[in-house]
Amino acid sequence: MIIKDKILEVKNLTHYYGEQVGCEDISFDLYQGEILGIVGESGSGKSTLLKCLSGQISPSQGIINFCIDQNQPLQDLCKISEQKKRALMRKEWGIVQQNPRDGLRLRVSAGGNIAERIINEEIKNYSNIRHKALDWMDKTEMEKSRIDDFPLNFSGGMQQRLQISKILSSNPKLVYMDEPTGGLDVSVQAKLLDTITIIVRDLNVSMIIVSHDLAVVKFLTDKLLVMKSGMVVESGLTDRVLDDPQHSYTQLLTSSILQV
Amino acid sequence: MYVAVKGGEKAIKSSIDLLEQKRKHISANQDIQISQLIEQLSFAVDRVLSEGSLYDKNLSALSIKQAQGDLVEAIFILRAYRTTLERFSYSVPIDTSSMTLKRRISATYKDIPGGQILGPTFDYTHRLLDFSLLNGKETSNKKNTPKSDDNVFFPRVMEFLNNEGLMEKEIEKLKSKPFDITREPMKFPAARDQWLQILSRSDEGFLLGLSYSAIRGFGSKGTHPFVGEIRYGFVDVKIFPEELGFEICVGEIEVSECEMVDQFEGSKKKAPQFTRGYGLTFGYNERKAMSISIIDRALKSQEYGEEIRFPIQDQEFVLYHSDNVEAQGFVSHLKLPHYVDFQGELNLIRELRKKILKKNKDD
Amino acid sequence: MIDGFNFAYLDEATKRMIRRTILKAICIPGYQCPFGGREMPLAYGWGTGGIQVTASIIGMNDTLKVIDQGADDTTNAISIKNFFKKVCKIKTTEVTENATIIQTRHRIPEKKLSEHQILVYQVPQPEPLRRLEPKEQETRKLHAYEEYALMHVKLYEEISHYGSVIKTYAYPVRTNRRYITDPSPTPKFDNPKMDFMEALQLFGAGRERRIYAIPPYTSVKSLDFEDHPFEIQTWDERCDICGSNNSYLDEIIVNDKGEKKFICSDTNYCEKNIKT
């Protein structure tokens, strides 16, 4: 893999809920096109970390530097205005929610859902917006004929595909996925993972995926952070971490998957 | 040629005449006196002055008479009058712990210093129609008015919990000038001074329903709060004129106050404490004061970091929809002509139907 | 004037507060300025916002016209006009060009307004994004940051489902290329009149406590897509009274068989047409 621009740089990120630790002293870098996995049991701080990174909560301490413009130095997300942060969320980032219902407008058609992020860029021409929306449905292997249907009536897998179309339609630099295949049947999961891999590699978009499912992580990610009690206990290339775990907790995690 | 209907002016005049006629008794009954309303329909008078947010029993009774007993209409009339009055001063906060009590009860302690005072309440009446009232034979009854002893001090029940550190602290003093809902538009997120004022003059029925929803389970954490204390009685209203340099009492008002104890908050490290809800209204409006105290607690959900799941926890939902002058106005505006908008809808629906019917035919 | 009440009902301090809000609103065209709205003796939803605006700007020498659904003679228009006659004894008129202040509900007069006139709209819901986003805290951000994609999603949806935008009244506009504004529930037929109107346009929402304004000669564009341009309503029929074929028509049912006729919604315009 060719090393490209660094798009995210996290240093000593810490978040407390009152006096309780959410996540503590986390540092890592992410480059363009790279896919990072974060694993750990529930309560290990994965979701807190994801929320900090994606601007949903402000961390208590630490720096999150993000590449807003290739020609500019990275900027600390904790210091930019709310306006800019919201603009980034609409365009440069996307958050694929575990429950697609949280990431979709259920009373807006599939096409309208995708259109929302396209409209930020292009608001003049209806047909262009519609073509782009159809195009994205095609890429995520959805039936184009369902463009005017409401996601309320879609299956879980379809809803997740729609959510992914919606997020990717603005050509984001960075996509966060929170348990993207959680709650789906195994066969549906596999197909969805295939789709995600193909598109993401094709677009060269960077991703951070939170999951407790090591199979998902192994399949999708390049690098891995293993979290426990709010801290990163092990990190490195995914294959290395999973094949040759160093920390006892990682060993426990990998052994538990082998038993399945 | 068609001539469009005219005569709005005439129609309004006749309508007002008819309304006036409706009020005037056809039988030989006497005109109701304002003093009769104040004495014999005191709960109605209190409700109207509380929601009309103008403490004046005479005007409250007058508006009830003018509105022919339609209390929401009476509240509206009183509010519209109130808005024209000059604001000459803000009072200093009333001190309900030095209230001249007519009623004071606690559901959390059997006995409290100063004692429980049941006072006038419907609570233990049997709701049987009293046919003896039918013919208005009632004689004036002045004997049974027990005097409450002014010298007895009635400490607040919540203070006992507070002193032990079991109760979350009430804010001592506002940092800035209190919000004034009669002078400023609503702001969000709203602070407690804003919402307590709004609730104090909100529609009693709406508040009752909301608070009921919370204790049935559509509310924040605690589903069953405890009445720490309910007080009803008189308090002095004082102002502090800068030029005088001391407080002067300008009158006395009746208020109802409720303090509710709710379930505790805490975490592994923070010691648990009870939380509180507070409600105060003009007049004898106990049911409403209780409702407010439940809603007050629910509206603190955000501050406590509780998940906002139900209408009662949602500031905008509660505060925007609780004022009956606003609510009745907007609901009733649907009676106004909407010919123009409806014409737009008519044209559109015909257009759309034409398109589809034609397409179906072509297919 | 009636005993116990100030000229135009509101006390002078309140009027000043409202006038300051109006000035602010004029400075930021289309921006909804919060104001300390007062209770009025007419019900919320029946024009209290417009009445407060009118009461704050009206003077002894003004001539007031009040219309509802375009007509001077509808009950609520009469009622509001009577209110002002009672509380300020000013002149009133039905003739559009003679009025200095025109308070309206749901229509803009057909006759072109001039610089010497102020059009006061009664607004039930000032927030054009409210149906898409119920939270005030969020809609204020959407305006502040110019995040208007949602509004276009709505237009997209309507075109996708019905082949065209189906909003027929309160059709959203962009004021001065900045704020998306609700034109109040006037039919979209009236939207083009707002663009570069010579008269000052003031909008009062009493229940929601907002005032906004469109200064004279300000750009007001109805939202659309270039391949689905904004269009106004048209009728195949003419006005049954004056024969006009270019005014907004109301449909009336004239007999038990449900036969229909169409007449001008702007009664003063219709009368003028008959005379000439």
PDB file of all heavy atoms in Angstrom, chain B residues 272-297:
ATOM      1  N   PRO B 272     -25.258   9.523  46.687  1.00  0.00           N
ATOM      2  CA  PRO B 272     -26.606   9.777  46.181  1.00  0.00           C
ATOM      3  C   PRO B 272     -27.351  10.822  46.997  1.00  0.00           C
ATOM      4  O   PRO B 272     -27.146  10.954  48.201  1.00  0.00           O
ATOM      5  CB  PRO B 272     -27.286   8.420  46.292  1.00  0.00           C
ATOM      6  CG  PRO B 272     -26.509   7.675  47.310  1.00  0.00           C
ATOM      7  CD  PRO B 272     -25.115   8.181  47.247  1.00  0.00           C
ATOM      8  N   GLN B 273     -28.216  11.544  46.335  1.00  0.00           N
ATOM      9  CA  GLN B 273     -29.058  12.545  46.982  1.00  0.00           C
ATOM     10  C   GLN B 273     -30.438  12.487  46.357  1.00  0.00           C
ATOM     11  O   GLN B 273     -30.569  12.134  45.191  1.00  0.00           O
ATOM     12  CB  GLN B 273     -28.501  13.950  46.721  1.00  0.00           C
ATOM     13  CG  GLN B 273     -27.358  14.359  47.607  1.00  0.00           C
ATOM     14  CD  GLN B 273     -26.976  15.808  47.344  1.00  0.00           C
ATOM     15  OE1 GLN B 273     -26.855  16.219  46.200  1.00  0.00           O
ATOM     16  NE2 GLN B 273     -26.797  16.554  48.414  1.00  0.00           N
ATOM     17  N   PHE B 274     -31.429  12.886  47.125  1.00  0.00           N
ATOM     18  CA  PHE B 274     -32.749  13.058  46.534  1.00  0.00           C
ATOM     19  C   PHE B 274     -32.729  14.276  45.615  1.00  0.00           C
ATOM     20  O   PHE B 274     -31.945  15.200  45.805  1.00  0.00           O
ATOM     21  CB  PHE B 274     -33.803  13.302  47.616  1.00  0.00           C
ATOM     22  CG  PHE B 274     -34.139  12.083  48.418  1.00  0.00           C
ATOM     23  CD1 PHE B 274     -33.873  12.034  49.783  1.00  0.00           C
ATOM     24  CD2 PHE B 274     -34.720  10.987  47.810  1.00  0.00           C
ATOM     25  CE1 PHE B 274     -34.192  10.909  50.522  1.00  0.00           C
ATOM     26  CE2 PHE B 274     -35.043   9.858  48.553  1.00  0.00           C
ATOM     27  CZ  PHE B 274     -34.769   9.824  49.906  1.00  0.00           C
ATOM     28  N   THR B 275     -33.611  14.255  44.631  1.00  0.00           N
ATOM     29  CA  THR B 275     -33.758  15.445  43.792  1.00  0.00           C
ATOM     30  C   THR B 275     -35.122  16.050  44.107  1.00  0.00           C
ATOM     31  O   THR B 275     -35.981  15.390  44.685  1.00  0.00           O
ATOM     32  CB  THR B 275     -33.695  15.070  42.304  1.00  0.00           C
ATOM     33  OG1 THR B 275     -34.708  14.102  42.038  1.00  0.00           O
ATOM     34  CG2 THR B 275     -32.342  14.513  41.952  1.00  0.00           C
ATOM     35  N   ARG B 276     -35.299  17.294  43.715  1.00  0.00           N
ATOM     36  CA  ARG B 276     -36.550  17.943  44.092  1.00  0.00           C
ATOM     37  C   ARG B 276     -37.277  18.572  42.906  1.00  0.00           C
ATOM     38  O   ARG B 276     -36.688  18.904  41.883  1.00  0.00           O
ATOM     39  CB  ARG B 276     -36.296  18.989  45.155  1.00  0.00           C
ATOM     40  CG  ARG B 276     -35.402  20.124  44.693  1.00  0.00           C
ATOM     41  CD  ARG B 276     -35.467  21.269  45.693  1.00  0.00           C
ATOM     42  NE  ARG B 276     -34.339  21.300  46.611  1.00  0.00           N
ATOM     43  CZ  ARG B 276     -34.427  21.768  47.856  1.00  0.00           C
ATOM     44  NH1 ARG B 276     -35.572  22.172  48.339  1.00  0.00           N
ATOM     45  NH2 ARG B 276     -33.370  21.813  48.624  1.00  0.00           N
ATOM     46  N   GLY B 277     -38.546  18.719  43.096  1.00  0.00           N
ATOM     47  CA  GLY B 277     -39.338  19.464  42.128  1.00  0.00           C
ATOM     48  C   GLY B 277     -40.148  20.489  42.887  1.00  0.00           C
ATOM     49  O   GLY B 277     -40.581  20.241  44.016  1.00  0.00           O
ATOM     50  N   TYR B 278     -40.340  21.640  42.274  1.00  0.00           N
ATOM     51  CA  TYR B 278     -40.980  22.741  42.985  1.00  0.00           C
ATOM     52  C   TYR B 278     -42.112  23.330  42.151  1.00  0.00           C
ATOM     53  O   TYR B 278     -41.986  23.449  40.931  1.00  0.00           O
ATOM     54  CB  TYR B 278     -39.929  23.818  43.278  1.00  0.00           C
ATOM     55  CG  TYR B 278     -40.477  25.006  44.036  1.00  0.00           C
ATOM     56  CD1 TYR B 278     -40.626  24.946  45.416  1.00  0.00           C
ATOM     57  CD2 TYR B 278     -40.856  26.174  43.376  1.00  0.00           C
ATOM     58  CE1 TYR B 278     -41.147  26.018  46.126  1.00  0.00           C
ATOM     59  CE2 TYR B 278     -41.373  27.249  44.072  1.00  0.00           C
ATOM     60  CZ  TYR B 278     -41.518  27.167  45.453  1.00  0.00           C
ATOM     61  OH  TYR B 278     -42.035  28.226  46.141  1.00  0.00           O
ATOM     62  N   GLY B 279     -43.176  23.708  42.835  1.00  0.00           N
ATOM     63  CA  GLY B 279     -44.267  24.377  42.123  1.00  0.00           C
ATOM     64  C   GLY B 279     -44.924  25.434  42.976  1.00  0.00           C
ATOM     65  O   GLY B 279     -45.135  25.229  44.177  1.00  0.00           O
ATOM     66  N   LEU B 280     -45.212  26.574  42.369  1.00  0.00           N
ATOM     67  CA  LEU B 280     -45.894  27.639  43.096  1.00  0.00           C
ATOM     68  C   LEU B 280     -46.932  28.282  42.193  1.00  0.00           C
ATOM     69  O   LEU B 280     -46.679  28.522  41.013  1.00  0.00           O
ATOM     70  CB  LEU B 280     -44.892  28.706  43.554  1.00  0.00           C
ATOM     71  CG  LEU B 280     -45.526  29.848  44.354  1.00  0.00           C
ATOM     72  CD1 LEU B 280     -45.261  29.672  45.840  1.00  0.00           C
ATOM     73  CD2 LEU B 280     -45.032  31.202  43.896  1.00  0.00           C
ATOM     74  N   THR B 281     -48.104  28.537  42.744  1.00  0.00           N
ATOM     75  CA  THR B 281     -49.121  29.253  41.969  1.00  0.00           C
ATOM     76  C   THR B 281     -49.792  30.301  42.840  1.00  0.00           C
ATOM     77  O   THR B 281     -49.781  30.198  44.061  1.00  0.00           O
ATOM     78  CB  THR B 281     -50.255  28.319  41.471  1.00  0.00           C
ATOM     79  OG1 THR B 281     -51.031  27.929  42.608  1.00  0.00           O
ATOM     80  CG2 THR B 281     -49.733  27.095  40.781  1.00  0.00           C
ATOM     81  N   PHE B 282     -50.380  31.280  42.196  1.00  0.00           N
ATOM     82  CA  PHE B 282     -51.264  32.216  42.876  1.00  0.00           C
ATOM     83  C   PHE B 282     -52.497  31.451  43.336  1.00  0.00           C
ATOM     84  O   PHE B 282     -52.956  30.523  42.664  1.00  0.00           O
ATOM     85  CB  PHE B 282     -51.786  33.270  41.882  1.00  0.00           C
ATOM     86  CG  PHE B 282     -50.866  34.426  41.638  1.00  0.00           C
ATOM     87  CD1 PHE B 282     -51.047  35.225  40.506  1.00  0.00           C
ATOM     88  CD2 PHE B 282     -49.856  34.765  42.518  1.00  0.00           C
ATOM     89  CE1 PHE B 282     -50.232  36.311  40.251  1.00  0.00           C
ATOM     90  CE2 PHE B 282     -49.039  35.865  42.282  1.00  0.00           C
ATOM     91  CZ  PHE B 282     -49.229  36.632  41.147  1.00  0.00           C
ATOM     92  N   GLY B 283     -53.068  31.896  44.464  1.00  0.00           N
ATOM     93  CA  GLY B 283     -54.368  31.381  44.880  1.00  0.00           C
ATOM     94  C   GLY B 283     -54.298  29.949  45.411  1.00  0.00           C
ATOM     95  O   GLY B 283     -53.222  29.379  45.596  1.00  0.00           O
ATOM     96  N   TYR B 284     -55.467  29.385  45.646  1.00  0.00           N
ATOM     97  CA  TYR B 284     -55.542  28.016  46.152  1.00  0.00           C
ATOM     98  C   TYR B 284     -55.665  27.091  44.949  1.00  0.00           C
ATOM     99  O   TYR B 284     -56.762  26.878  44.437  1.00  0.00           O
ATOM    100  CB  TYR B 284     -56.743  27.904  47.086  1.00  0.00           C
ATOM    101  CG  TYR B 284     -56.803  26.615  47.888  1.00  0.00           C
ATOM    102  CD1 TYR B 284     -55.716  25.739  47.958  1.00  0.00           C
ATOM    103  CD2 TYR B 284     -57.947  26.270  48.608  1.00  0.00           C
ATOM    104  CE1 TYR B 284     -55.769  24.576  48.698  1.00  0.00           C
ATOM    105  CE2 TYR B 284     -58.022  25.108  49.357  1.00  0.00           C
ATOM    106  CZ  TYR B 284     -56.922  24.265  49.387  1.00  0.00           C
ATOM    107  OH  TYR B 284     -56.986  23.102  50.122  1.00  0.00           O
ATOM    108  N   ASN B 285     -54.544  26.591  44.480  1.00  0.00           N
ATOM    109  CA  ASN B 285     -54.506  25.742  43.286  1.00  0.00           C
ATOM    110  C   ASN B 285     -53.581  24.564  43.551  1.00  0.00           C
ATOM    111  O   ASN B 285     -52.583  24.374  42.876  1.00  0.00           O
ATOM    112  CB  ASN B 285     -53.938  26.532  42.097  1.00  0.00           C
ATOM    113  CG  ASN B 285     -54.951  27.453  41.471  1.00  0.00           C
ATOM    114  OD1 ASN B 285     -55.969  27.003  40.974  1.00  0.00           O
ATOM    115  ND2 ASN B 285     -54.675  28.737  41.505  1.00  0.00           N
ATOM    116  N   GLU B 286     -53.930  23.797  44.540  1.00  0.00           N
ATOM    117  CA  GLU B 286     -53.025  22.752  44.996  1.00  0.00           C
ATOM    118  C   GLU B 286     -52.706  21.697  43.915  1.00  0.00           C
ATOM    119  O   GLU B 286     -51.576  21.300  43.729  1.00  0.00           O
ATOM    120  CB  GLU B 286     -53.692  22.078  46.190  1.00  0.00           C
ATOM    121  CG  GLU B 286     -52.873  21.019  46.841  1.00  0.00           C
ATOM    122  CD  GLU B 286     -53.560  20.592  48.135  1.00  0.00           C
ATOM    123  OE1 GLU B 286     -53.581  21.412  49.066  1.00  0.00           O
ATOM    124  OE2 GLU B 286     -54.093  19.479  48.189  1.00  0.00           O
ATOM    125  N   ARG B 287     -53.748  21.317  43.195  1.00  0.00           N
ATOM    126  CA  ARG B 287     -53.578  20.292  42.166  1.00  0.00           C
ATOM    127  C   ARG B 287     -52.528  20.763  41.148  1.00  0.00           C
ATOM    128  O   ARG B 287     -51.685  20.012  40.686  1.00  0.00           O
ATOM    129  CB  ARG B 287     -54.922  20.083  41.476  1.00  0.00           C
ATOM    130  CG  ARG B 287     -54.980  18.914  40.539  1.00  0.00           C
ATOM    131  CD  ARG B 287     -56.288  18.931  39.762  1.00  0.00           C
ATOM    132  NE  ARG B 287     -57.460  18.824  40.600  1.00  0.00           N
ATOM    133  CZ  ARG B 287     -58.513  19.653  40.550  1.00  0.00           C
ATOM    134  NH1 ARG B 287     -58.531  20.661  39.690  1.00  0.00           N
ATOM    135  NH2 ARG B 287     -59.538  19.488  41.344  1.00  0.00           N
ATOM    136  N   LYS B 288     -52.620  22.045  40.842  1.00  0.00           N
ATOM    137  CA  LYS B 288     -51.693  22.587  39.854  1.00  0.00           C
ATOM    138  C   LYS B 288     -50.282  22.719  40.417  1.00  0.00           C
ATOM    139  O   LYS B 288     -49.309  22.382  39.742  1.00  0.00           O
ATOM    140  CB  LYS B 288     -52.199  23.959  39.397  1.00  0.00           C
ATOM    141  CG  LYS B 288     -51.348  24.547  38.322  1.00  0.00           C
ATOM    142  CD  LYS B 288     -52.037  25.720  37.705  1.00  0.00           C
ATOM    143  CE  LYS B 288     -51.045  26.602  37.005  1.00  0.00           C
ATOM    144  NZ  LYS B 288     -51.666  27.804  36.496  1.00  0.00           N
ATOM    145  N   ALA B 289     -50.171  23.154  41.663  1.00  0.00           N
ATOM    146  CA  ALA B 289     -48.836  23.277  42.267  1.00  0.00           C
ATOM    147  C   ALA B 289     -48.143  21.918  42.283  1.00  0.00           C
ATOM    148  O   ALA B 289     -46.943  21.807  42.011  1.00  0.00           O
ATOM    149  CB  ALA B 289     -48.948  23.841  43.678  1.00  0.00           C
ATOM    150  N   MET B 290     -48.912  20.860  42.567  1.00  0.00           N
ATOM    151  CA  MET B 290     -48.327  19.513  42.563  1.00  0.00           C
ATOM    152  C   MET B 290     -47.874  19.121  41.160  1.00  0.00           C
ATOM    153  O   MET B 290     -46.764  18.600  40.976  1.00  0.00           O
ATOM    154  CB  MET B 290     -49.363  18.495  43.055  1.00  0.00           C
ATOM    155  CG  MET B 290     -49.690  18.628  44.523  1.00  0.00           C
ATOM    156  SD  MET B 290     -50.951  17.433  45.049  1.00  0.00           S
ATOM    157  CE  MET B 290     -50.018  15.901  44.990  1.00  0.00           C
ATOM    158  N   SER B 291     -48.731  19.397  40.181  1.00  0.00           N
ATOM    159  CA  SER B 291     -48.368  19.053  38.801  1.00  0.00           C
ATOM    160  C   SER B 291     -47.083  19.764  38.402  1.00  0.00           C
ATOM    161  O   SER B 291     -46.184  19.182  37.797  1.00  0.00           O
ATOM    162  CB  SER B 291     -49.480  19.460  37.836  1.00  0.00           C
ATOM    163  OG  SER B 291     -50.694  18.877  38.218  1.00  0.00           O
ATOM    164  N   ILE B 292     -46.998  21.043  38.755  1.00  0.00           N
ATOM    165  CA  ILE B 292     -45.807  21.813  38.373  1.00  0.00           C
ATOM    166  C   ILE B 292     -44.556  21.190  38.978  1.00  0.00           C
ATOM    167  O   ILE B 292     -43.530  21.056  38.325  1.00  0.00           O
ATOM    168  CB  ILE B 292     -45.927  23.283  38.832  1.00  0.00           C
ATOM    169  CG1 ILE B 292     -47.067  23.973  38.095  1.00  0.00           C
ATOM    170  CG2 ILE B 292     -44.616  24.031  38.588  1.00  0.00           C
ATOM    171  CD1 ILE B 292     -47.326  25.397  38.570  1.00  0.00           C
ATOM    172  N   SER B 293     -44.663  20.762  40.246  1.00  0.00           N
ATOM    173  CA  SER B 293     -43.459  20.247  40.893  1.00  0.00           C
ATOM    174  C   SER B 293     -42.990  18.949  40.220  1.00  0.00           C
ATOM    175  O   SER B 293     -41.799  18.682  40.150  1.00  0.00           O
ATOM    176  CB  SER B 293     -43.694  20.057  42.386  1.00  0.00           C
ATOM    177  OG  SER B 293     -44.674  19.073  42.584  1.00  0.00           O
ATOM    178  N   ILE B 294     -43.910  18.175  39.704  1.00  0.00           N
ATOM    179  CA  ILE B 294     -43.518  16.951  38.982  1.00  0.00           C
ATOM    180  C   ILE B 294     -42.862  17.308  37.652  1.00  0.00           C
ATOM    181  O   ILE B 294     -41.834  16.749  37.261  1.00  0.00           O
ATOM    182  CB  ILE B 294     -44.751  16.046  38.765  1.00  0.00           C
ATOM    183  CG1 ILE B 294     -45.226  15.497  40.112  1.00  0.00           C
ATOM    184  CG2 ILE B 294     -44.428  14.905  37.809  1.00  0.00           C
ATOM    185  CD1 ILE B 294     -46.591  14.840  40.058  1.00  0.00           C
ATOM    186  N   ILE B 295     -43.447  18.294  36.984  1.00  0.00           N
ATOM    187  CA  ILE B 295     -42.900  18.696  35.683  1.00  0.00           C
ATOM    188  C   ILE B 295     -41.538  19.373  35.859  1.00  0.00           C
ATOM    189  O   ILE B 295     -40.610  19.150  35.085  1.00  0.00           O
ATOM    190  CB  ILE B 295     -43.900  19.623  34.952  1.00  0.00           C
ATOM    191  CG1 ILE B 295     -45.174  18.836  34.650  1.00  0.00           C
ATOM    192  CG2 ILE B 295     -43.300  20.166  33.663  1.00  0.00           C
ATOM    193  CD1 ILE B 295     -46.341  19.693  34.212  1.00  0.00           C
ATOM    194  N   ASP B 296     -41.435  20.173  36.916  1.00  0.00           N
ATOM    195  CA  ASP B 296     -40.160  20.843  37.196  1.00  0.00           C
ATOM    196  C   ASP B 296     -39.029  19.809  37.295  1.00  0.00           C
ATOM    197  O   ASP B 296     -37.970  19.957  36.693  1.00  0.00           O
ATOM    198  CB  ASP B 296     -40.277  21.631  38.499  1.00  0.00           C
ATOM    199  CG  ASP B 296     -38.956  22.254  38.933  1.00  0.00           C
ATOM    200  OD1 ASP B 296     -38.260  22.826  38.064  1.00  0.00           O
ATOM    201  OD2 ASP B 296     -38.607  22.175  40.134  1.00  0.00           O
ATOM    202  N   ARG B 297     -39.302  18.745  38.028  1.00  0.00           N
ATOM    203  CA  ARG B 297     -38.287  17.699  38.179  1.00  0.00           C
ATOM    204  C   ARG B 297     -37.961  17.061  36.814  1.00  0.00           C
ATOM    205  O   ARG B 297     -36.807  16.839  36.490  1.00  0.00           O
ATOM    206  CB  ARG B 297     -38.773  16.648  39.162  1.00  0.00           C
ATOM    207  CG  ARG B 297     -37.945  15.380  39.236  1.00  0.00           C
ATOM    208  CD  ARG B 297     -36.501  15.651  39.652  1.00  0.00           C
ATOM    209  NE  ARG B 297     -35.666  14.467  39.511  1.00  0.00           N
ATOM    210  CZ  ARG B 297     -35.114  14.058  38.382  1.00  0.00           C
ATOM    211  NH1 ARG B 297     -35.311  14.759  37.278  1.00  0.00           N
ATOM    212  NH2 ARG B 297     -34.377  12.974  38.340  1.00  0.00           N
TER     213      ARG B 297
END
